[in-house]
Amino acid sequence: MIPLTHILFVSTALFFIGMYGLFTRRNIISMLMAIELILNSININFIAFNKYLFPDKLDGVFFTLFIITIAAAEAAVAIAIIINLYRSHKSINVEDAEEMKF
Amino acid sequence: MSCFILGTGILAVTTSKIFRSAIYLLFSLIGIAGLYFWMQMEFIAAVQIVVYAGGIVVIIIFSIFLTEHSGKEMRRPVKSRKVFSSLAVLSGFALTYLLINQNTFKANSTVGGEVSVANIGSQMLSTTEHGYILPFEVVSMLLLAAMIGCIVIASSSNSLKGGHDNKKNVRKNLQKDNMPGQAFAVKEPLEFNESVSGNSGETL
């Protein structure tokens, strides 16, 4: 059984890879993919803590299930917004949609 | 396994073609499902494959097809932004990993409870102190609201694009667009997700 810190290493690295994608990309769909990576790293954390520290409980499993559900709803709403934005702006770059920028 | 996850994750955020980025994301998610299998959480791994690899990546690829030419190169990020964000990410990673290494994690109990679908279902739908029936209902309302919101957002764009303020025209477009292709693509993972949650309840 490999120690817990190795799994936490993987999830931390995945979280910061997602942060890097969120910082550098300027395409909305790519930023959405980076957010999916971040949510997955959090799911790995919940499952690993549930498995290693509290093997008699199920709370981490429930949190993971709810996070997956909310991520699915979030992706669906985001893609509806992206398609609508593409129809009105002919672009999905965040720098082309700046009407509400102060 | 973890090398696979991290390598495809890095490729997904650094490759310059958006379609390849989506495919690398798919491989990374499947690798995470393999990690769940390795930790003996088979139900979570199955949900991960079904919802993420089967639902979310598919709608992402659909929206890429709808909005962009798949072979086109994306705009390259600015060099200074690349440098600064990688510096910030590396320092954040170093700080977090230092904290993880200093902490000692103690297992609270060594007795392994069984993570079976029956246990998950009975605890999710129980109304006692440790039951999750209230978040379950709230999430079901959230899914319904998201589905209706997606249909409204994706079908009201015709009235935005055409400059006429003809209400009859708008209403006709709304009725006509009640079943567009993307509404199906949007609805599919949501319904499946609900059916997954429902299945876990049925095994009571």
Side-chain angles (χ1 to χ4, degrees):
Chain A
M1 202 84 178
I2 68 172
L4 177 61
T5 48
H6 291 192
I7 297 176
L8 292 186
F9 174 82
V10 174
S11 72
T12 313
L14 201 64
F15 181 85
F16 282 106
I17 288 169
M19 287 300 282
Y20 177 79
L22 201 61
F23 285 152
T24 55
R25 292 298 180 89
R26 278 299 169 263
N27 187 318
I28 298 184
I29 296 180
S30 309
M31 292 169 81
L32 188 70
M33 289 194 262
I35 291 176
E36 300 295 337
L37 279 182
I38 292 176
L39 286 171
N40 269 288
S41 76
I42 292 164
N43 282 345
I44 292 176
N45 257 4
F46 270 119
I47 290 292
F49 279 128
N50 192 7
K51 184 73 188 168
Y52 279 83
L53 300 189
F54 300 96
D56 53 335
K57 291 201 175 76
L58 284 176
D59 294 331
V61 175
F62 287 120
F63 271 84
T64 305
L65 282 178
F66 288 126
I67 288 173
I68 288 176
T69 314
I70 291 173
E74 168 248 340
V77 173
I79 281 173
I81 292 174
I82 287 169
I83 289 171
N84 211 341
L85 188 74
Y86 180 73
R87 280 184 190 158
S88 64
H89 284 75
K90 296 286 166 229
S91 156
I92 50 169
N93 203 301
V94 282
E95 279 147 8
D96 293 334
E98 51 180 15
E99 280 85 3
M100 293 179 73
K101 199 172 173 182
F102 180 63
Chain B
M1 181 69 81
S2 43
C3 286
F4 178 73
I5 294 172
L6 294 184
T8 50
I10 289 174
L11 281 175
V13 298
T14 55
T15 183
S16 63
K17 290 186 177 151
I18 188 168
F19 188 69
R20 287 188 191 171
S21 170
I23 298 298
Y24 285 131
L25 177 77
L26 174 66
F27 279 115
S28 184
L29 295 176
I30 289 176
I32 291 169
L35 194 64
Y36 292 153
F37 268 122
W38 179 81
M39 283 194 272
Q40 290 157 358
M41 297 275 184
E42 284 87 8
F43 181 65
I44 299 293
V47 168
Q48 167 92 8
I49 288 179
V50 163
V51 174
Y52 271 109
I56 291 180
V57 173
V58 168
I59 42 175
I60 284 176
I61 289 174
F62 262 114
S63 66
I64 289 171
F65 281 153
L66 281 175
T67 56
E68 210 162 339
H69 307 290
S70 58
K72 207 177 65 180
E73 299 263 325
M74 276 187 287
R75 228 182 281 177
R76 306 294 302 173
V78 193
K79 199 74 174 261
S80 65
R81 187 192 288 149
K82 234 177 177 173
V83 171
F84 278 121
S85 53
S86 53
L87 267 181
V89 161
L90 281 180
S91 55
F93 176 68
L95 184 67
T96 315
Y97 196 60
L98 206 69
L99 286 177
I100 287 173
N101 257 342
Q102 279 176 356
N103 202 354
T104 53
F105 297 102
K106 273 185 308 200
N108 274 34
S109 67
T110 52
V111 186
E114 197 182 353
V115 190
S116 66
V117 183
N119 283 349
I120 291 175
S122 61
Q123 194 179 347
M124 181 175 269
L125 290 183
S126 75
T127 51
T128 55
E129 194 182 349
H130 297 290
Y132 276 80
I133 184 76
L134 181 64
F136 181 77
E137 294 297 330
V138 170
V139 157
S140 71
M141 289 308 292
L142 177 94
L143 285 178
L144 181 67
M147 197 170 79
I148 296 172
C150 283
I151 295 172
V152 168
I153 288 173
S155 66
S156 69
S157 62
N158 280 347
S159 59
L160 284 179
K161 202 172 67 178
H164 310 289
D165 280 330
N166 194 347
K167 280 230 174 100
K168 208 190 282 177
N169 202 1
V170 169
R171 183 169 298 164
K172 213 165 64 188
N173 279 340
L174 267 180
Q175 279 173 353
K176 201 170 59 189
D177 272 3
N178 257 344
M179 303 260 178
Q182 67 257 44
F184 269 131
V186 155
K187 263 159 74 176
E188 194 177 28
L190 297 180
E191 286 180 354
F192 202 76
N193 209 348
E194 278 217 333
S195 73
V196 164
S197 315
N199 273 342
S200 68
E202 277 172 14
T203 54
L204 271 170

